Amino acid sequence: MLLLSAFLFNSPAEIIEGMISLTKAPSILVTDYMAVGNVGAAIFNSSLLMVIATLIAKKSKVDFNGPIIAAIFTIGGFALFGKNTYNVWPILLGVLIHAKIKGEKFSKFIIVAYFGTALGPLISQITFGYELPLAKAIFFANLAGLIVGLILPALGAHFVKFHQGFNLYNIGFTAGIVGTFFMALLRSLGFDNPRTLYLAEGYNRVLGIYLTIIFISMIILGYIFNNKSFSGYTSLVKRSGRAVTDFVVLDGFGLTLVNMGLVGFITMGYILAVGGQLNGPIIGGIYTVVGFGAFGKHSKNIIPIMIGVYLGALLNVWDVNAIGPLLAALFGTTLAPVAGEYGWKFGIVAGFMHMAMVMNVGGLHGGMNLYNNGFSGGIVAAILIPVIDAFMRKEESA
């Protein structure tokens, strides 16, 4: 449905032209494919990658549970501003080689592979951003992508201990560390990344209607799949969301779809309420939250984080409707388990801390890691959770 809907916005010729433009873009943060190409091309690129990811998962005989749904929607979201049909393949292939070396099935590492495409801009930037001879650029870019894919599974398994499952974007944190290493290496060789900000504006009405149709369809289908009932949703929102909380397994696919549609409306509503623009990065953020509506996020645990981010922007030097704070409000919900586990007050604190952190870590990886908020969220969780535990822990009786 999403793939075909691209032709509502642009003609086939325009979409092909736009696809060529966005595929050749360096794609570092923040590169809106709706601005670099056009709206139809961005939606087509996003939907095509979602279809490919779905088919690969089906071919690999993966259970379609919460994590895989979250991963596919995250790929689709970031394919509106950074992932494309050129830059994801080396990373996927690297993870496949990792699986072969380990003697394991690719399906065991498919979640890491999908989220690992966060470093797609590393491939695009080396290929198109440094004015290297094309053959040399393609070789070194794809070599870097293969290395990323080879090492991500081991690093991801290790770093989850760092934030104890309270940062849902674990591979985002891992990709931030890897991206920082590659950026340091590139800077040592005399290469650096420019500050990038390409954004589309003026599409709130049409894209708002477009998203509303998608979210309503999710809620209606979920209602039907849940025996024409919303029964059980109150139990779903009582879950903390801490990794691993798979709503598909725990609460059923129907209620999961309902939850996905609801968090979609909440996040879109926030953007419009504060005067933000619906464009590639923002819809990418909304898609990601919707995807994680199957894997840890729900209407109760994301709102405190968004309030905290809003207060963080309001009380500091950032405009609440600028692209950075808007993305922080959406992707900062990676810390939703903090609110789910410890209550809304600590959720607000986490969101406030995240707002300050995320605006300062992007320079470390030069925009190479699309999951910048996952990187920041890991740091915030690693700092905040031990402190909360220390003061909330009941003293043992003598």
Side-chain angles (χ1 to χ4, degrees), residues 19 32-33 39 79 90 109 111 125 133 146 159 217 229 247 253 288 303 314 318 330 360 382:
M19 283 287 289
D32 184 348
Y33 284 166
V39 174
F109 304 102
I111 300 298
Q125 176 67 359
L146 284 172
F159 284 129
S217 72
S229 168
F247 294 143
F253 181 62
T288 302
I303 291 175
L314 196 67
W318 305 289
L330 297 172
N360 289 282

Side-chain angles (χ1 to χ4, degrees), residues 5-17:
S5 72
F7 297 99
L8 297 174
F9 296 91
N10 293 93
S11 68
E14 290 171 335
I15 288 175
I16 291 171
E17 183 180 355

Side-chain angles (χ1 to χ4, degrees), residues 84-214:
N84 57 56
T85 52
Y86 166 65
N87 66 21
V88 300
W89 294 109
I91 297 170
L92 295 176
L93 182 57
V95 176
L96 177 61
I97 294 171
H98 177 98
K100 295 293 185 184
I101 293 172
K102 295 278 291 183
E104 304 275 7
K105 292 182 179 179
F106 176 69
S107 58
K108 180 178 179 179
F109 304 102
I110 194 169
I111 300 298
V112 176
Y114 282 3
F115 285 122
T117 55
L119 286 165
L122 173 66
I123 291 92
S124 290
Q125 176 67 359
I126 295 175
T127 305
F128 302 112
Y130 293 144
E131 299 182 356
L132 296 170
L134 187 58
K136 182 186 291 186
I138 291 174
F139 172 78
F140 283 110
N142 283 270
L143 177 62
L146 284 172
I147 293 171
V148 167
L150 276 168
I151 66 177
L152 270 181
L155 292 176
H158 176 74
F159 284 129
V160 71
K161 303 170 187 175
F162 184 70
H163 52 75
Q164 302 178 53
F166 284 94
N167 173 34
L168 290 174
Y169 306 160
N170 178 52
I171 299 301
F173 176 76
T174 308
I177 298 294
V178 175
T180 297
F181 170 78
F182 273 97
M183 195 67 250
L185 180 61
L186 288 166
R187 284 169 176 154
S188 73
L189 296 172
F191 300 103
D192 206 348
N193 295 350
R195 293 181 64 87
T196 303
L197 189 63
Y198 298 113
L199 294 172
E201 295 184 352
Y203 294 104
N204 277 15
R205 182 178 177 83
V206 64
L207 291 177
I209 293 171
Y210 179 73
L211 291 176
T212 296
I213 293 170
I214 294 171

